[in-house]
């Protein structure tokens, strides 16, 4: 057997084995029934595909609209919870296989290829990732489509054909509409790669300008969809309750900008014993005028507040324990660890922010010597997901851990990729000879 095919064969074998193990792992009773969001996804998945309401649904009394990708995938399997969980497990396994398959082309050493595939599949068995496949929320499909999106971009970047461009563009649209925050990340990612292409590979510029244009169009469409579905209403309310009401100066600023019932809100909701008590505000008939103000002016006023209050925007006064939530993992939405995930549960997380920064600094140094653009890929991901963490933290004060579920996952993935790229780029024998030669010269002196 050709040695170059061994890593691809290993990737296939691990895909089959992990998929079988994933499908054989079940949670009884199901964890998703205790949450409200799954019922919104299920309701939207039953709206006819040809209806505008499926893509731009309006909020009703008992329905909070969602971006359309997750409902579409639910609809494909008949909106049946059992089949949805199976579909999510298959999507998860396929995304890992596709990502591993594409990235293998960027390695040259057999050892680094095998190590990368082994650690990639080990990471993807971590319950912090795999556990989401057992619940009817957007997290699992969002993770899977994120990895498919990254793989399709690397595939396009490698072969540069119109077919790979179209394929990536289609994946971009479906990935974007899993969560409302992804359009920001997509546009930033393309801009960073456009800068790299401008400096190193100008033949890619026209393609990247096209991707930036697609990203901006998706951004505008998704913003409009979120506005119609009132998807910004609850995050703005949450920020006002937990970040504005407790601070007299901030509350006065919002009141001067036209926010009604400022003092009444502070008295009733300014010091909640349980964060879930904020749910009462969402449909509190005593604050209808406040709710209408949030819909009409809340987002623009909160944006002005961020611009005019840099200490708040830069998280200077945030409590350390609150900031730690950005790196949360195993946050309890997916039940107890099951099956073969118990192995990776005792291994991850391996990397932290400091170790990842040091490793990527070294990888950038190697790039300056070799000029291989793939060596900048982890650094681009670091920038993009640092921005994602900041954006989501500042956008909603409620359930920060869940909204930022992807942060620690990406830290581990980037860490594994970075280490393997370093192993692949460094010639250990040459390094040994250089060190030996320098020591010989030193002793001779």
């Amino acid at each position: 057997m050709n040695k170059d095919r061994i890593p691809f064969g290993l990737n296939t074998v691990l895909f089959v084995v992990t998929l079988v193990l994933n499908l054989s792992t079940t949670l009884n009773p199901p964890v998703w029934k205790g949450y409200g969001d799954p019922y919104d996804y299920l309701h939207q998945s039953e709206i006819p595909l040809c209806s505008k309401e499926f893509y731009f649904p309006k909020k009703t009394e008992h329905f909070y609209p969602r971006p359309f990708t997750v409902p579409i995938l639910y609809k494909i399997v008949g909106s049946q919870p059992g089949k949805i969980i199976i579909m999510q497990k298959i999507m998860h396994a396929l995304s890992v296989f596709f990502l591993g398959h594409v990235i293998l082309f960027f390695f040259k050493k057999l050892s680094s290829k095998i190590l990368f595939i082994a650690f990639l599949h080990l990471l993807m068995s971590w319950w912090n990732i795999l556990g989401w496949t057992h619940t009817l929320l957007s997290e699992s499909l969002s993770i899977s489509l994120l990895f498919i999106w990254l793989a399709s971009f690397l595939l396009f970047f490698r072969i540069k054909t119109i077919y790979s461009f179209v394929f990536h563009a289609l994946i971009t649209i479906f990935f974007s509409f899993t969560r409302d925050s992804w359009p920001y990340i997509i546009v930033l990612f393309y801009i960073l790669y456009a800068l790299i292409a401008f400096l190193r590979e100008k033949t890619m510029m026209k393609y990247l300008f096209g991707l930036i244009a697609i990203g901006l169009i998706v951004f505008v469409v998704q913003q409009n969809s979120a506005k119609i579905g009132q998807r910004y209403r609850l995050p703005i309310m949450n920020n006002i309750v937990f970040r504005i009401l407790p601070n007299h100066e901030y509350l006065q600023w919002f009141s001067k900008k036209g926010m009604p019932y400022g003092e009444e809100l502070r008295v009733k909701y300014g010091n909640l014993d349980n964060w879930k008590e904020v749910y009462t505000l969402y449909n509190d008939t005593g604050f209808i005028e406040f709710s209408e103000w949030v819909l009409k002016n809340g987002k623009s006023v909160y944006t002005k507040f961020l611009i005019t209050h840099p200490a708040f925007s830069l998280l200077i006064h945030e409590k350390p324990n609150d900031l730690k939530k950005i790196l949360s993992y195993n946050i309890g939405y997916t039940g107890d660890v099951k099956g073969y995930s118990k192995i990776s549960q005792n291994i991850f997380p391996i990397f932290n922010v400091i170790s990842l920064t040091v490793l990527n600094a070294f990888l950038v140094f190697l790039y300056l010597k070799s000029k291989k653009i793939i060596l900048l890929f982890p650094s681009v991901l670091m920038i993009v997901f640092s921005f994602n963490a900041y954006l989501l933290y500042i956008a909603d004060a409620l359930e920060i851990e869940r909204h930022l579920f992807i942060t620690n996952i990406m830290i581990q993935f980037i860490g594994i990729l970075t280490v393997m790229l370093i192993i692949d780029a460094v010639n250990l024998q040459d390094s040994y000879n250089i060190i030996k030669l320098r020591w010989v010269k030193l002793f001779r002196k």
Side-chain angles (χ1 to χ4, degrees):
M1 181 180 178
N2 188 338
K3 287 184 178 181
D4 291 337
R5 303 305 305 170
I6 292 176
F8 294 95
L10 178 62
N11 188 35
T12 302
V13 170
L14 289 176
F15 160 69
V16 174
V17 170
T18 55
L19 177 58
V20 171
L21 291 173
N22 294 348
L23 291 173
S24 65
T25 303
T26 58
L27 297 184
N28 192 19
V31 294
W32 65 268
K33 290 186 176 180
Y35 309 128
D37 292 3
Y39 299 96
D40 291 322
Y41 287 113
L42 289 171
H43 172 79
Q44 190 168 336
S45 71
E46 293 172 351
I47 300 173
L49 271 178
C50 57
S51 171
K52 180 182 177 182
E53 279 294 310
F54 185 89
Y55 306 96
F56 297 91
K58 297 177 182 177
K59 182 192 174 303
T60 60
E61 185 177 356
H62 301 293
F63 169 56
Y64 291 90
R66 310 289 170 168
F68 66 75
T69 296
V70 173
I72 279 181
L73 293 171
Y74 283 13
K75 180 181 283 293
I76 289 173
V77 293
S79 301
Q80 299 181 35
K83 292 183 178 180
I84 289 170
I85 290 172
I86 292 173
M87 177 269 293
Q88 290 182 156
K89 291 181 178 183
I90 294 172
M91 284 283 292
H92 168 76
L94 284 172
S95 70
V96 179
F97 171 79
F98 182 40
L99 181 64
H101 184 85
V102 172
I103 291 180
L104 281 177
F105 289 110
F106 293 91
F107 289 106
K108 59 182 180 181
K109 295 180 182 176
L110 180 63
S111 58
S112 52
K113 290 180 179 181
I114 292 175
L115 284 171
F116 173 73
I117 287 299
F119 274 96
L120 176 66
H121 283 272
L122 181 64
L123 172 64
M124 296 307 168
S125 71
W126 189 21
W127 194 251
N128 188 45
I129 303 173
L130 188 60
W132 291 107
T133 62
H134 293 85
T135 189
L136 272 59
L137 297 168
S138 66
E139 279 76 5
S140 177
L141 293 172
S142 183
I143 295 172
S144 297
L145 282 166
L146 166 63
F147 287 127
I148 292 172
W149 177 69
L150 291 175
S152 66
F153 177 81
L154 289 175
L155 179 65
F156 155 68
F157 203 85
R158 179 176 178 270
I159 64 178
K160 302 178 184 63
T161 66
I162 189 63
Y163 300 107
S164 63
F165 177 87
V166 172
F167 175 65
H168 176 67
L170 290 173
I171 294 296
T172 298
I173 294 170
F174 282 101
F175 166 57
S176 177
F177 281 93
T178 56
R179 298 173 76 89
D180 282 326
S181 59
W182 287 137
Y184 296 88
I185 304 311
I186 289 169
V187 173
L188 176 60
F189 180 86
Y190 291 150
I191 289 173
L192 290 174
Y193 257 95
L195 292 174
I196 293 172
F198 177 77
L199 296 173
R200 294 295 307 158
E201 196 167 344
K202 289 185 170 57
T203 57
M204 286 291 294
M205 289 298 296
K206 60 180 180 180
Y207 294 109
L208 285 161
F209 280 137
L211 290 175
I212 290 172
I214 291 171
L216 290 173
I217 292 170
V218 170
F219 179 88
V220 171
V221 173
Q222 197 155 343
Q223 291 281 309
N224 188 41
S225 172
K227 183 178 180 181
I228 292 172
Q230 302 182 15
R231 296 202 290 267
Y232 294 118
R233 173 175 166 263
L234 301 189
I236 296 298
M237 282 187 170
N238 295 335
N239 283 328
I240 290 173
V241 168
F242 294 106
R243 291 174 175 162
I244 303 304
L245 296 185
N247 187 299
H248 177 72
E249 180 185 342
Y250 295 166
L251 178 56
Q252 289 294 106
W253 190 92
F254 271 80
S255 296
K256 289 179 181 178
K257 296 299 179 181
M259 186 183 80
Y261 299 120
E263 187 60 26
E264 292 86 345
L265 284 165
R266 186 192 65 79
V267 171
K268 188 170 182 179
Y269 295 102
N271 190 24
L272 300 179
D273 294 326
N274 185 335
W275 60 267
K276 291 185 179 180
E277 294 176 29
V278 74
Y279 294 163
T280 306
L281 176 60
Y282 299 160
N283 299 297
D284 193 330
T285 56
F287 293 97
I288 291 177
E289 190 177 337
F290 166 71
S291 181
E292 292 175 349
W293 177 86
V294 169
L295 281 175
K296 185 177 179 181
N297 302 309
K299 185 181 178 182
S300 60
V301 171
Y302 185 64
T303 303
K304 290 177 183 177
F305 176 77
L306 293 176
I307 295 171
T308 56
H309 294 74
F312 179 92
S313 303
L314 297 173
L315 312 180
I316 292 173
H317 301 309
E318 288 295 301
K319 298 175 183 178
N321 285 338
D322 288 336
L323 291 174
K324 287 180 182 178
K325 294 177 182 178
I326 294 174
L327 301 174
S328 296
Y329 59 95
N330 295 332
I331 56 179
Y333 286 86
T334 56
D336 297 331
V337 182
K338 298 289 184 179
Y340 77 113
S341 285
K342 293 178 181 178
I343 300 172
S344 54
Q345 189 71 7
N346 296 317
I347 297 174
F348 294 100
I350 298 174
F351 304 95
N352 57 32
V353 173
I354 294 174
S355 62
L356 195 63
T357 302
V358 172
L359 287 168
N360 267 272
F362 184 58
L363 198 61
V364 171
F365 169 74
L366 293 176
Y367 162 75
L368 294 175
K369 294 182 64 177
S370 67
K371 305 301 182 184
K372 293 182 179 179
I373 295 179
I374 188 61
L375 299 183
L376 293 179
F377 183 62
S379 296
V380 170
L381 293 182
M382 277 189 66
I383 294 170
V384 166
F385 283 92
S386 295
F387 175 69
N388 182 67
Y390 168 79
L391 176 69
L392 291 179
Y393 186 91
I394 207 74
D396 195 339
L398 198 64
E399 293 190 281
I400 293 171
E401 297 96 333
R402 179 185 164 192
H403 294 152
L404 288 169
F405 77 102
I406 196 68
T407 306
N408 220 313
I409 293 172
M410 290 308 297
I411 287 175
Q412 305 314 309
F413 170 69
I414 297 169
I416 290 171
L417 180 59
T418 301
V419 169
M420 297 309 158
L421 285 172
I422 289 173
I423 292 173
D424 198 65
V426 173
N427 190 316
L428 296 179
Q429 185 61 47
D430 287 350
S431 300
Y432 170 76
N433 291 336
I434 291 171
I435 294 171
K436 181 179 178 181
L437 182 62
R438 287 180 178 176
W439 274 102
V440 169
K441 288 182 178 180
L442 180 65
F443 281 112
R444 284 178 177 176
K445 289 182 179 179

